[in-house]
Amino acid sequence: MLATVTHRFLGLAMTESTIVVGATGLIGNLLVRKLIADGRDEGLHLLMRKPVEEDYGAATVHVAPTEQWPEVIASIKAGQAVSCLGSTMKKAGSKEAFAAIDRDLVGAVGKAAKAAGARQFIAVSSTMANAEASGFYLKVKGQAEQRLRAEDFDRLDVIRPGLLRGERTDDARLGESLAIIASPLLDRLLHGSLRRYRSIDGREVAAAIAALLSEEKPGSTIYENDAIWKLADRETA
């Protein structure tokens, strides 16, 4: 199935394209690679801050500073939007800069996508994201989710993976790398509701998102590890 698909949603048939923001990060890159490999790159739009020397198949690449992203999104009028945006305090440089990306930019992308007619929004968040959390990172992630829910998409899918495993080409994270090394042992200790904190391969998260791009039922849903694995299994079966 191509990225440009005809959905019968809420009783209406529509042809729509898909836009992905954050396509150069771990999950975004894996998602785009999968969609291209599956022949789903027709009608796929990638929005980036700077050009990347990669073959994106039939996908259309849009390069613009983030303040111009709402304008670009408005011109695309995609029926589906995916946000794989995410930074770290270290990379961002300050709490304010981190929030500007992981909350404000995510929210701006959501608002622009909704205004442009998107029926579905998929966002990669974090396990334990909570707008009322005492920790800054989880609070910002929760606030981003809060802003997306306020847009009242026909369908909102929030992905909350545990510790992400995978090769990052644009953002080395020492502490995360050490945790990944220890994850085979730590994962065995996490059972029941604690399974949400287990490590998870970025390819599985990307596969889950690809599966959700074929979903049509309206509503707002949060997906943690177990649900992500189930979606990934269905997509790769």
Side-chain angles (χ1 to χ4, degrees):
M1 185 177 66
L2 300 179
T4 300
V5 294
T6 300
H7 282 283
R8 193 163 296 278
F9 191 76
L10 298 179
L12 300 174
M14 61 185 76
T15 299
E16 56 193 10
S17 55
T18 300
I19 183 169
V20 177
V21 297
T24 59
L26 174 60
I27 301 303
N29 183 261
L30 290 169
L31 171 63
V32 171
R33 294 289 115 211
K34 176 171 176 52
L35 294 176
I36 293 173
D38 291 349
R40 298 167 66 179
D41 48 338
E42 189 72 33
L44 179 63
H45 295 262
L46 312 178
L47 182 51
M48 306 175 180
R49 289 181 301 161
K50 55 186 179 182
V52 177
E53 292 185 8
E54 279 198 48
D55 180 5
Y56 287 115
T60 302
V61 178
H62 306 263
V63 179
T66 54
E67 59 267 24
Q68 293 179 15
W69 282 14
E71 181 181 346
V72 176
I73 292 170
S75 70
I76 297 169
K77 293 181 171 61
Q80 298 169 296
V82 182
S83 170
C84 298
L85 292 168
S87 187
T88 63
M89 238 86 73
K90 180 179 179 181
K91 185 177 180 181
S94 68
K95 286 186 175 181
E96 292 75 15
F98 173 77
I101 297 171
D102 285 56
R103 180 191 63 209
D104 301 342
L105 184 56
V106 170
V109 166
K111 182 176 288 293
K114 176 65 176 181
R119 66 162 188 96
Q120 179 184 24
F121 198 96
I122 302 174
V124 178
S125 184
S126 172
T127 186
M128 292 183 68
N130 186 337
E132 304 300 323
S134 57
F136 183 77
Y137 177 88
L138 296 177
K139 183 174 184 177
V140 166
K141 290 292 189 180
Q143 289 172 338
E145 293 182 12
Q146 204 171 52
R147 293 189 183 189
L148 293 175
R149 290 190 189 93
E151 295 303 327
D152 196 26
F153 288 96
D154 291 338
R155 181 182 179 97
L156 175 63
D157 299 298
V158 177
I159 311 295
R160 289 184 181 176
L163 176 66
L164 288 171
R165 300 194 311 271
E167 183 179 353
R168 296 183 185 272
T169 58
D170 66 336
D171 184 12
R173 304 180 182 184
L174 177 59
E176 194 173 84
S177 298
L178 294 175
I180 289 172
I181 293 172
S183 65
L185 174 60
L186 295 175
D187 286 349
R188 295 192 189 100
L189 303 176
L190 300 173
H191 302 282
S193 63
L194 297 179
R195 286 168 57 86
R196 73 184 67 178
Y197 306 119
R198 286 186 176 185
S199 65
I200 185 169
D201 195 299
R203 291 169 296 185
E204 294 174 307
V205 179
I209 295 172
L212 288 171
L213 286 171
S214 301
E215 291 289 333
E216 301 178 19
K217 186 178 180 180
S220 178
T221 309
I222 293 172
Y223 302 85
E224 295 184 319
N225 278 352
D226 282 339
I228 295 170
W229 283 318
K230 184 176 180 179
L231 284 167
D233 287 343
R234 191 185 75 191
E235 173 67 17
T236 56

